[in-house]
């Protein structure tokens, strides 16, 4: 897999996946963004600032933690957990928000727009904008505004304006549509801080680069702690940024197996899910060619998952590429299984995961017992569960 | 010469190009309104093939697309409607849609069907020329025009690229933004059209935001065609009898003579 280092190609393609399918108005802006990013990438002072703020402001490195009781419970492979939940704002999203925030400032764009599903990317963006003194507008589907009310309040506290989106399915997909419409309209003074490895080139590669800090740390940590690389890396996949972030630095370690866990919602067979790679077909959504959930007429389908962060009918093009080459395997875990894993991790380890990585935990637990004790699984715990308390209270039928 | 090219070759007046969403508010309306537009002096009609995620469209066309989709309007239905319309009107019919429905249909199959039913060209706002090569193989093969877009934000380099690849005409987006009626068009419009004109002899048509005869006349001073979309959808909402649409189209036609 050596050649993976060179992807995407100069047109933004990972083989047949990726590209720039956007209105003409955005083409010059994407060109400008790509140029600015390439320049920043070569500038060591950019990375010095990124790394020093990652250390002092967002709290990196995050621990790689041996989940001893969970491992015992499964009675098989050793489970290590990469603790992105311990980052400032409670999720991996801040890695990308910091990187792109610094880039926006460098490009002298003072108006930042973002989309958010669960609210984690919105909170991360609002946080970085507050820290860097930038204006921040966050688009959020009306349905998500309701189910993630606490994060909406948090963004407002941080000085951001939250604009509810009432079109289409009123979730993340529509928030992205609306953010793109804003960008088309205000392209001259606005930076679109996209939150995942989706969208037109150069977003998938740029977000991957900022999130790769997860995998780089995890690789060093596992070598220090165990003296060898893991057998499996497991991460949840919505748009796919936390998973690419932990996968990518291991891409040339071909004995390390990647498993991406999508949301099966109420079950793949019910059609109420968000598993683009497991159950989708190739299409174009939000500027990139990748796996999408669509009907026979090419209309994008609504999705359903207990976790707002996985509720997206597309996925990053690099994941589609990994699927096509077999570099990664993609599976799906449903709402009930995720909820069970959520409770298990709370009780076995005293860690409250977000519902998104609870999907990854669920699959890790599932395969750990079938593996022998020498084997190592690393799970990326991409975020903290505080934001999900309302949903969990409801799902468990608890009266507070 | 393609049917679209011959509209501009005649040079009798500035071309008037209305847009409607197929199946909004009903298929019957579409079948009625297109002949009406043709008989009110329109030169080309854009037929919107609805898509679930129309990210270049403002609120009016978003809502029309959503309603049409709810009624089961698919690309296949749009082709059938176009076929029926072709029996009634002579003027060029152009599909305006997004890339995914075309990709899903099959690029080759879609283009072949378009030609078969009498559609003359395609406008796909999320398909810049960089991504259009594959589709162009099929449009060329089947004699369809592919109309690319330019925006006031386009660089000189991109103007050259788009003008060299676009066929039929070039769609100049009047402003940086999405579709939708605007009270005012940007000051820079004439300068933008002139910048493009320097690089091509192909016809230039201006759309996005156009909603009054005055705006149309201003555009006619510099461009070869005027595209009007959202305002027509709004008039459809106000008066289902299509009287308002007819009146509005005629006023545009007079402004462009």
């Amino acid at each position: 897999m050596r050649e993976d280092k060179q992807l995407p190609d100069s047109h933004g393609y990972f083989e047949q996946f990726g590209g720039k399918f956007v209105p003409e108005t955005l083409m010059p802006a994407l060109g400008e963004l790509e140029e600015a990013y390439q320049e920043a990438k070569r500038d060591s002072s950019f990375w010095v600032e990124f790394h020093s703020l990652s250390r002092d402001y967002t709290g990196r490195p995050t621990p790689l933690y041996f989940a001893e009781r969970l491992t015992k419970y499964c009675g098989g492979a050793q489970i290590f957990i990469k603790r992105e939940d311990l980052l400032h704002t409670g999720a991996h999203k801040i890695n990308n928000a910091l990187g792109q925030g610094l880039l926006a400032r460098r490009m002298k764009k003072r108006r930042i727009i973002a989309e958010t599903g669960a609210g984690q990317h919105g909170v991360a963006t609002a946080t970085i904008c507050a820290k860097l003194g930038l204006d921040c507008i966050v688009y959020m589907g009306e349905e998500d505004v309701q189910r993630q009310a606490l994060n909406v309040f948090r963004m407002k506290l941080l000085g951001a304006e939250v604009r509810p989106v009432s079109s289409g399915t009123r979730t993340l997909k529509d928030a992205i549509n609306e953010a793109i419409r804003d960008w088309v309209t205000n392209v001259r003074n606005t930076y679109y801080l996209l939150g995942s490895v989706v969208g037109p080139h150069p977003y998938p590669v740029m977000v991957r680069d900022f999130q790769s800090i997860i995998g780089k740390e995890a690789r060093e940590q596992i070598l220090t702690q165990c003296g060898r690389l893991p057998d499996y890396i497991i991460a949840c996949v919505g748009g796919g940024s936390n998973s690419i972030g932990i996968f990518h630095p291991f891409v040339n370690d071909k004995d390390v197996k990647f498993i991406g866990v999508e949301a099966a919602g109420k079950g793949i067979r019910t059609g109420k899910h968000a598993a683009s790679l497991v159950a989708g077909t190739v299409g174009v959504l939000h500027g990139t060619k990748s796996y999408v959930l669509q009907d026979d007429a090419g209309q994008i389908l609504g999705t359903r998952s207990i976790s707002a962060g996985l509720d997206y009918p597309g996925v990053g093009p690099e994941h589609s590429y990994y699927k096509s080459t077999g570099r990664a395997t993609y599976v799906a875990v449903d709402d009930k299984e995720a909820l069970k894993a959520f409770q298990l991790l709370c009780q076995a380890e005293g860690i409250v995961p977000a519902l998104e990585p609870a999907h990854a935990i669920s699959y890790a637990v599932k395969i750990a017992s079938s593996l022998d004790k020498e084997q190592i699984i690393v799970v990326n715990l991409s975020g903290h569960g505080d934001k999900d308390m309302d949903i969990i209270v409801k799902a468990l039928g608890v009266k507070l | 010469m393609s049917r679209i090219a011959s509209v501009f070759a005649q040079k009798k007046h500035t071309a008037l190009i209305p847009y409607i969403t197929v199946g909004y508010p009903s298929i019957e309306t579409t079948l009625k309104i297109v002949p009406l537009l043709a008989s009110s002096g329109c030169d080309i009609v854009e037929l919107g093939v609805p898509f679930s995620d129309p990210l270049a469209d403002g609120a009016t066309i978003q809502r029309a697309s959503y309603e049409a989709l709810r009624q089961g309007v698919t690309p296949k239905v749009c082709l059938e409607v176009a076929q029926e319309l072709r029996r009634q009107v002579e003027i060029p019919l152009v599909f305006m849609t997004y890339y995914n429905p075309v990709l899903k249909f099959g690029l080759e199959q879609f283009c072949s069907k378009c030609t078969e039913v009498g559609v003359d060209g395609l406008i796909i706002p999320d398909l810049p020329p960089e991504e259009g090569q594959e589709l162009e193989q099929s449009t060329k093969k089947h004699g369809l025009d592919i109309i690319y877009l330019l925006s006031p934000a386009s660089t000189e380099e991109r103007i050259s690229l788009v003008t060299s690849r676009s066929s039929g005409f070039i769609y100049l987006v009047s402003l940086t933004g999405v579709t939708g009626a605007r009270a005012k068009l940007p000051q820079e419009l004439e300068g933008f059209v002139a910048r493009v004109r320097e690089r091509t002899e192909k016809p230039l048509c201006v759309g996005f935001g156009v909603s009054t005869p005055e705006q149309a006349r201003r555009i006619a001073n510099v461009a070869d065609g005027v595209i009007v979309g959202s305002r027509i959808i709004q008039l459809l909402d106000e008066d289902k009898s299509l009287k308002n649409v007819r009146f509005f189209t005629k006023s545009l036609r007079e402004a462009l003579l």
Side-chain angles (χ1 to χ4, degrees), chain B residues 13 24 35 38-39 41 59 70 74 106 117 121 190-191 214 217 225 242:
Chain B
H13 52 224
Y24 181 79
S39 68
R70 272 191 2 155
T74 59
V117 304
E190 284 80 5
E214 292 70 34
R217 193 175 301 126
L242 308 184

Side-chain angles (χ1 to χ4, degrees), chain A residues 13 19-25 27-28 167 173 177 180-181 184-185 188 281 283-284 294-300, chain B residues 50-55 57 62 69 99-101 104 125-126 128 130-131 149-154 158 176-178 188:
Chain A
Y13 275 87
K20 294 188 208 179
F21 296 84
V22 295
E24 171 63 25
T25 302
M27 288 300 282
S167 58
K173 150 180 110 69
N177 288 340
I180 293 175
R181 290 181 188 118
V184 170
T185 308
R188 289 179 173 114
T281 50
V284 169
Q294 59 182 329
D295 68 13
D296 293 341
Q299 308 300 342
I300 306 303
Chain B
F51 177 51
S52 54
D53 295 78
L55 50 78
D57 284 304
Q62 280 178 48
L69 286 174
Y99 193 48
N100 198 54
K104 183 72 183 169
D126 65 342
E130 283 89 339
E131 304 291 355
L149 297 88
L150 277 170
S151 119
S154 301
R158 297 201 54 78
T176 56
V178 293
E188 62 186 3

Side-chain angles (χ1 to χ4, degrees), chain A residues 108-130:
Chain A
K108 303 198 165 42
K109 307 255 182 186
R110 305 208 59 83
R111 181 178 183 270
I112 308 294
I113 56 169
E115 80 296 336
T116 197
Q120 289 306 104
H121 174 57
V123 168
T125 304
T127 299
I128 293 299
C129 286

Side-chain angles (χ1 to χ4, degrees), chain B residues 5-91:
Chain B
S6 63
V7 166
F8 297 100
Q10 292 168 17
K11 286 216 164 140
K12 49 179 183 182
H13 52 224
T14 306
L16 177 56
I17 309 172
Y19 163 98
I20 51 125
T21 302
V22 176
Y24 181 79
S26 67
I27 304 255
E28 293 70 46
T29 308
T30 306
L31 292 174
K32 248 195 283 177
I33 197 171
V34 175
L36 180 145
L37 291 167
S39 68
S40 328
C42 295
D43 300 282
I44 298 172
V45 173
E46 277 183 29
L47 299 171
V49 179
F51 177 51
S52 54
D53 295 78
L55 50 78
D57 284 304
T60 305
I61 294 178
Q62 280 178 48
R63 194 173 38 77
S65 302
Y66 181 75
E67 279 304 314
L69 286 174
R70 272 191 2 155
Q71 294 177 49
V73 176
T74 59
K76 189 167 165 281
V77 170
C78 293
L79 284 161
E80 288 162 11
V81 169
Q83 185 165 31
E84 179 58 36
L85 289 170
R86 183 44 80 217
R87 293 194 192 106
Q88 301 177 41
V89 301
E90 296 282 322
I91 59 171

